[in-house]
Amino acid sequence: MQCSEVSNRHEYYMAQALRLAETAVGRTAPNPSVGAVIVRDDKVVGEGFHPKAGEPHAEIFALRAAGEKARGAEIYVTLEPCSHHGRTGPCCDALIAAGVAKVVVGTIDPNPQVSGRGVVRLRAAGIDVTVGVLEPLCRRLIAPFVKHIQTGMPLFILKSATTLDGKTATSSGQSQWITNEQSRAHVHQLRNHVDAIMVGSGTALRDNPQLTTRLPESGCVAKRDPLRVVVDSRLRISLDSKLVRHHSEAPTLIATLEAANDADGTNAEKLTQLQGCDGVEVVTLPANAEGRVDLNALAECLGARNIQSVLVEGGAELNSSMLSSGLIDRVMLYLAPKIIGGADGKGIFAGHGFAELSQALQLCDVRVQRFGDDLLVEGEVEQCLPA
């Protein structure tokens, strides 16, 4: 067999492992999403994915499915098998005991408790190990886990929908709907794959959104509504808003200031009322230089709750605060073939932007998808890419 044939074969089965891993994206925190495929005589004899923390890892499900056929077989796994005891036993030990002959790894685990030790353990047991098959895709899959384990903070995905001339709304504020139904359905798939959705108080007041996942139930993993986060420095949110009243759909976390302009006691009373609402939690955080909620403090707060990924669906003010705070890790921009024109339409960001092109955020690993006539342009913010 030629080297190119080996490479293509490895990529073929690793792609299958990636598809399995994607099944549980957004449900495994604080663990990463992982998929595994066991192959013997060029036939898949076992496969599995990690469904959630506390459950067996992908390799274990694949070994169970393969049974005795795992002996002398190859296993393709998107992430280096663990070599330490956590809530489950080491996958390396299970692979060695099962007698697999070869392990093909997508990428090394960034967790300091593993980080290469799994590969060393497997090779020491006489198992052939190949590392780095479809590594960029495997790294992208676990980007939220990487960000969280390296910084303690979640990966922030800035999502917006604009016309071709960069408008998110008309001069009168109309924004529904800039994009088509296919694009909006894809956004619900995104919500299904993140741990939290974040908006500012302006969006909460103007749109009164539900911020829920509206998808048909299908597949082996049910749809899920992520945590709803509202950045509300002055506690402007209405007690009758859907984010407050519709607590059965998803919990809501309201981030406000430790001392929120409260000379007349209004905010103290509002805070008490909100804390008395089912499914609503209010956290008080320090202010930034502009007198608003410090988003870095909020990021640390969310990270401490094992929130690995946050979809930012806010307006121009929140987006600008995210930009100036240096918290944007990924951008997802839906472009509709419309032109609003004029200088008075709404844009993605408010206030003043960077004065020099050299300061602009540079996206890399750029991907483009088409949804009908709409385009989705997606990329990673270069300085935030994991090493």
Side-chain angles (χ1 to χ4, degrees):
M1 183 178 290
Q2 299 296 317
C3 290
S4 60
E5 292 175 328
V6 172
S7 176
N8 290 339
R9 180 174 174 277
H10 284 351
E11 290 178 1
Y12 174 80
Y13 289 118
M14 187 61 72
Q16 291 192 37
L18 277 165
R19 283 192 289 271
L20 286 165
E22 289 167 357
T23 305
V25 167
R27 289 153 174 79
T28 60
N31 298 340
S33 296
V34 182
V37 173
I38 297 178
V39 179
R40 183 170 180 172
D41 299 327
D42 274 336
K43 292 182 180 179
V44 174
V45 295
E47 58 183 29
F49 64 90
H50 179 48
K52 64 178 181 179
E55 292 289 319
H57 292 180
E59 299 94 317
I60 304 305
F61 281 111
L63 287 171
R64 289 176 181 174
E68 283 302 312
K69 292 180 181 178
R71 188 163 301 277
E74 304 164 294
I75 182 168
Y76 293 79
V77 60
T78 57
L79 186 66
E80 176 186 15
C82 64
S83 56
H84 66 290
H85 286 272
R87 296 172 69 175
T88 60
C91 289
C92 282
D93 290 356
L95 293 173
I96 293 167
V100 300
K102 184 177 181 63
V103 177
V104 181
V105 176
T107 188
I108 295 296
D109 193 333
N111 185 343
Q113 290 183 299
V114 184
S115 196
R117 293 181 178 87
V119 170
V120 170
R121 175 84 177 88
L122 292 169
R123 285 175 174 160
I127 295 175
D128 183 16
V129 181
T130 296
V131 178
V133 175
L134 295 186
E135 185 163 21
L137 296 180
C138 293
R139 292 288 290 184
R140 187 194 301 164
L141 174 75
I142 62 166
F145 171 73
V146 175
K147 172 77 181 295
H148 186 254
I149 204 164
Q150 290 182 347
T151 69
M153 298 191 292
L155 182 94
F156 286 97
I157 306 164
L158 181 72
K159 165 251 156 187
S160 190
T162 78
T163 59
L164 289 179
D165 55 338
K167 303 295 194 300
T168 60
T170 66
S171 57
S172 64
Q174 289 184 349
S175 61
Q176 297 181 332
W177 297 101
I178 284 179
T179 53
N180 61 29
E181 289 185 7
Q182 296 104 305
S183 293
R184 299 198 297 274
H186 188 254
V187 170
H188 284 285
Q189 293 178 26
L190 285 178
R191 290 179 176 182
N192 193 38
H193 290 157
V194 296
D195 296 323
I197 305 173
M198 189 165 77
V199 297
S201 58
T203 296
L205 287 170
R206 181 179 62 253
D207 299 340
N208 192 22
Q210 292 176 263
L211 300 184
T212 54
T213 302
R214 294 185 286 282
L215 291 172
E217 295 284 356
S218 63
C220 54
V221 177
K223 79 172 184 67
R224 184 200 57 168
D225 292 317
L227 174 70
R228 303 178 294 186
V229 180
V230 184
V231 183
D232 190 357
S233 300
R234 292 179 286 163
L235 281 184
R236 298 193 299 160
I237 192 169
S238 169
L239 291 168
D240 294 321
S241 71
K242 294 175 182 176
L243 293 171
V244 173
R245 292 300 176 195
H246 294 192
H247 57 81
S248 62
E249 297 175 333
T252 297
L253 180 74
I254 300 173
T256 192
L257 294 179
E258 292 172 340
N261 302 325
D262 200 24
D264 58 2
T266 303
N267 284 334
E269 181 181 353
K270 183 80 164 287
L271 188 148
T272 300
Q273 291 174 314
L274 287 168
Q275 288 177 327
C277 296
D278 288 340
V280 176
E281 181 183 359
V282 182
V283 294
T284 55
L285 298 167
N288 61 16
E290 288 74 42
R292 298 178 180 178
V293 168
D294 185 322
L295 294 179
N296 281 284
L298 175 57
E300 292 174 359
C301 174
L302 294 173
R305 295 164 183 254
N306 286 327
I307 299 296
Q308 289 188 355
S309 56
V310 179
L311 184 63
V312 182
E313 295 197 37
E317 294 293 338
L318 178 60
N319 291 345
S320 290
S321 295
M322 290 292 297
L323 183 66
S324 61
S325 297
L327 286 172
I328 301 173
D329 298 299
R330 178 178 296 167
V331 175
M332 301 187 71
L333 182 59
Y334 294 84
L335 292 169
K338 297 182 174 79
I339 295 176
I340 290 175
D344 52 356
K346 310 299 181 182
I348 300 175
F349 299 100
H352 298 287
F354 297 119
E356 303 291 335
L357 277 175
S358 60
Q359 299 173 303
L361 291 190
Q362 178 67 50
L363 300 185
C364 57
D365 189 19
V366 175
R367 292 88 71 189
V368 179
Q369 294 184 66
R370 186 165 181 167
F371 298 101
D373 289 334
D374 291 351
L375 294 178
L376 167 61
V377 180
E378 177 181 4
E380 315 298 314
V381 176
E382 193 168 43
Q383 59 265 38
C384 297
L385 282 174

